[in-house]
Amino acid sequence: MRESRHLELKERVSNTFLKTVSAYANYGDGEILFGVTDDGRKIGLDDPVGDTLRIENAINDGLSPRPEFEVYRDASSRVVTLRVREGDDKPYLYRSKAYRRSDTSTVEVDGLELRRLVLEGSNRTFDELRSQSQDLSFEVLEAALLSEVGIESFGNDTLRTLGLLSRKDGFNNAAALLADTNQFPGIDMARFGIDINSILDRETHSGISVLTQLDATLSMFDRYYTYEQIEGFRRTPHERVPREAFREAVANAIAHRAWDVGAHIRVSMYDDRIEVASPGGLPKGITVRDYLAGNISVLRSPILGNVLFRLGVIEQFGTGVRRIRRSYEGCDVKPLFSVTDGSVTVTLPVVDISPELDIDERSVYALFAPGRVLSSAQISEATGFGKDKCLRLLGQLVEKGLVRVQGAGRSTRYVMN
């Protein structure tokens, strides 16, 4: 028997256990066993009957509101078991503080987590709270609705129908996220060379409509991961990463991220993969297994999610993970999904490196971008390759039609073809 997030062991009864009761009532069912040592030995309590009464009285007097709990006594081992259920009337406070479990420890929640508990206890979400700014415009949203939904007119009635505006509170946070300008973080995109110290391109889009952010992200994707190849008399489009998978990953990051966290969604572009990291971890009520199975969706921002669904940006019924995986069917490489308490990261590997390039050629080619002019000296410095090797690799890229030469002699430069 070992302690865990949902099990705590106590040799005796002292009021410190009330912090753990607060944690279980706020964040998930759990048990506390009294009369058990830290290494799991059952030593029993001297007065299990009296201690049971003290436990009940301590909870009733020490926590507000009163959580749901049950206390059991084992007559033979003299161990008392306290079972606490997660409640609906959050936050559950002990001495005016809320607690959570961190592995096998109980810690006080910070201000952000406390605000989230208050919202959950009042059955509200962050996106339905009144926006700090009420001076909002919606040209981008109007254009999207006209294009995708075919509405005939756009005004306050439309915004009320979408749940973005109420007569009592005005615009909510979901409205602000869709407004032309707002106070929220956005998406930070970076394209890297051979390592994270070599940043070839970077764009950060924040304080603007999430619809504009998505369009900007797709534009940068198209710049580096799509190309045309001449096949006979035709130009055939190719995607180095499935565009559907990338769009789905970014759209889900926008819909499901924690918007009360002042961090950007991170899109990291490498020669062999793209990583899309969404701040905030999984929404409450969905497990890692549920998320990876792609069978259930719990919207952290239901009002925003409903609008994105109407616009066709996301699939409301939680098929995002399955759609990303489906776009890699028949490929040797597969997408990866990483979940922590603080983030969800989707890794999309490159499926098409065309023409065939070896690892050194890819390192050189990764430095180029449309319109970016480079000298062999700059490439040598960025890759760490010697001058002769760089010239040989550049010659191979020229032969394959990926790079062309500008100038001659000391003025020789190279540019993406």
Side-chain angles (χ1 to χ4, degrees), residues 80 134 232 238 315 320 349 362 377 400 405 409:
V80 174
Q134 292 294 305
H238 290 268
E315 169 57 57
R362 289 203 303 268
K400 293 178 178 180
V405 181

Side-chain angles (χ1 to χ4, degrees), residues 61 71-72 88 100 102 138-140 155 161 180 201 211 222 228 249 285 342 345 347 357 396 399:
D61 296 339
V71 186
Y72 304 91
D88 296 324
R100 64 177 177 84
S102 177
F138 298 93
E139 292 183 8
V140 173
T161 300
D180 299 327
D201 195 3
L211 302 176
D222 290 337
E228 290 184 344
T345 301
T347 300
L357 303 178
Q396 292 169 189
E399 288 180 7

Side-chain angles (χ1 to χ4, degrees), residues 157 160 165-170:
D157 287 341
R160 291 191 185 97
L165 175 67
S166 72
R167 299 185 187 278
K168 177 183 178 182
D169 296 325

Side-chain angles (χ1 to χ4, degrees), residues 39-271:
D39 58 6
R41 290 185 300 109
K42 296 180 180 180
I43 59 175
L45 297 173
D46 294 335
D47 182 13
V49 175
D51 283 336
T52 298
L53 183 60
R54 279 190 285 275
I55 290 168
E56 294 176 348
N57 289 338
I59 295 174
N60 292 333
D61 296 339
L63 270 86
S64 177
R66 180 183 181 276
E68 294 184 46
F69 68 93
E70 299 167 325
V71 186
Y72 304 91
R73 290 192 306 274
D74 185 305
S76 59
S77 65
R78 293 180 289 116
V79 170
V80 174
T81 300
L82 169 64
R83 293 177 181 168
V84 182
R85 299 183 186 277
E86 181 178 1
D88 296 324
D89 301 323
K90 301 168 184 175
Y92 292 87
L93 305 177
Y94 170 58
R95 293 184 176 178
S96 302
K97 296 179 181 179
Y99 293 85
R100 64 177 177 84
R101 291 287 280 177
S102 177
D103 293 327
T104 60
S105 301
T106 301
V107 297
E108 182 183 350
V109 304
D110 58 21
L112 175 60
E113 284 294 329
L114 182 58
R115 289 192 294 272
R116 288 176 177 173
L117 287 172
V118 172
L119 285 177
E120 189 177 348
S122 59
N123 198 29
R124 304 190 71 187
T125 57
F126 179 78
D127 68 336
E128 72 177 285
L129 296 180
R130 176 181 168 85
S131 169
Q132 293 181 5
S133 173
Q134 292 294 305
D135 183 19
L136 304 176
S137 62
F138 298 93
E139 292 183 8
V140 173
L141 177 60
E142 179 180 5
L145 288 169
L146 290 171
S147 172
E148 300 297 328
V149 183
I151 62 171
E152 297 180 356
S153 62
F154 180 88
N156 285 346
D157 287 341
T158 308
L159 295 169
R160 291 191 185 97
T161 300
L162 294 174
L164 305 176
L165 175 67
S166 72
R167 299 185 187 278
K168 177 183 178 182
D169 296 325
F171 292 118
N172 55 29
N173 283 333
L177 288 165
L178 290 158
D180 299 327
T181 59
N182 54 55
Q183 76 276 16
F184 289 102
I187 301 178
D188 183 19
M189 299 172 284
R191 179 172 177 256
F192 297 96
I194 58 174
D195 56 42
I196 60 174
N197 296 318
S198 176
I199 300 177
L200 307 180
D201 195 3
R202 187 167 191 172
E203 293 183 8
T204 301
H205 299 275
S206 62
I208 57 176
S209 171
V210 294
L211 302 176
T212 306
Q213 294 176 32
L214 178 60
D215 288 343
T217 309
L218 290 172
S219 294
M220 189 165 177
F221 171 88
D222 290 337
R223 201 153 67 234
Y224 296 116
Y225 294 92
T226 64
Y227 65 94
E228 290 184 344
Q229 188 171 20
I230 298 175
E231 298 175 356
F233 294 100
R234 296 183 178 180
R235 288 181 176 270
T236 304
H238 290 268
E239 298 173 353
R240 300 186 63 217
V241 169
R243 194 175 193 273
E244 179 187 3
F246 177 76
R247 183 185 182 281
E248 195 72 31
V250 176
N252 276 274
I254 290 172
H256 295 298
R257 65 154 291 167
W259 284 105
D260 55 359
V261 176
H264 295 305
I265 296 169
R266 295 193 323 274
V267 178
S268 304
M269 297 179 169
Y270 302 90
D271 185 51

Side-chain angles (χ1 to χ4, degrees), residues 180-408:
D180 299 327
T181 59
N182 54 55
Q183 76 276 16
F184 289 102
I187 301 178
D188 183 19
M189 299 172 284
R191 179 172 177 256
F192 297 96
I194 58 174
D195 56 42
I196 60 174
N197 296 318
S198 176
I199 300 177
L200 307 180
D201 195 3
R202 187 167 191 172
E203 293 183 8
T204 301
H205 299 275
S206 62
I208 57 176
S209 171
V210 294
L211 302 176
T212 306
Q213 294 176 32
L214 178 60
D215 288 343
T217 309
L218 290 172
S219 294
M220 189 165 177
F221 171 88
D222 290 337
R223 201 153 67 234
Y224 296 116
Y225 294 92
T226 64
Y227 65 94
E228 290 184 344
Q229 188 171 20
I230 298 175
E231 298 175 356
F233 294 100
R234 296 183 178 180
R235 288 181 176 270
T236 304
H238 290 268
E239 298 173 353
R240 300 186 63 217
V241 169
R243 194 175 193 273
E244 179 187 3
F246 177 76
R247 183 185 182 281
E248 195 72 31
V250 176
N252 276 274
I254 290 172
H256 295 298
R257 65 154 291 167
W259 284 105
D260 55 359
V261 176
H264 295 305
I265 296 169
R266 295 193 323 274
V267 178
S268 304
M269 297 179 169
Y270 302 90
D271 185 51
D272 63 342
R273 70 193 187 280
I274 301 176
E275 296 176 359
V276 180
S278 173
L282 292 175
K284 189 173 179 61
I286 180 170
T287 66
V288 174
R289 179 177 294 181
D290 293 332
Y291 168 72
L292 295 177
N295 294 323
I296 188 170
S297 177
V298 177
L299 285 175
R300 180 180 270 122
S301 304
I303 300 174
L304 174 65
N306 177 60
V307 177
L308 296 178
F309 169 70
R310 288 171 178 257
L311 293 173
V313 175
I314 64 168
E315 169 57 57
Q316 192 171 20
F317 301 105
T319 61
V321 171
R322 280 183 285 160
R323 291 171 71 179
I324 291 172
R325 285 182 169 144
R326 188 169 60 242
S327 67
Y328 276 84
E329 287 181 355
C331 300
D332 293 333
V333 293
K334 302 297 180 184
L336 301 174
F337 305 88
S338 174
V339 179
T340 69
D341 289 341
S343 68
V344 176
T345 301
V346 180
T347 300
L348 306 173
V350 164
V351 299
D352 182 10
I353 300 176
S354 180
E356 289 297 330
L357 303 178
D358 63 31
I359 188 170
D360 289 342
E361 289 172 329
R362 289 203 303 268
S363 296
V364 172
Y365 188 62
L367 300 174
F368 287 92
R372 183 183 177 90
V373 180
L374 296 170
S375 67
S376 59
Q378 290 173 313
I379 294 171
S380 178
E381 181 181 357
T383 60
F385 297 153
K387 179 181 178 181
D388 290 342
K389 183 175 182 177
C390 279
L391 290 173
R392 176 174 57 81
L393 293 171
L394 286 166
Q396 292 169 189
L397 294 175
V398 170
E399 288 180 7
K400 293 178 178 180
L402 293 175
V403 172
R404 68 177 184 272
V405 181
Q406 290 183 346

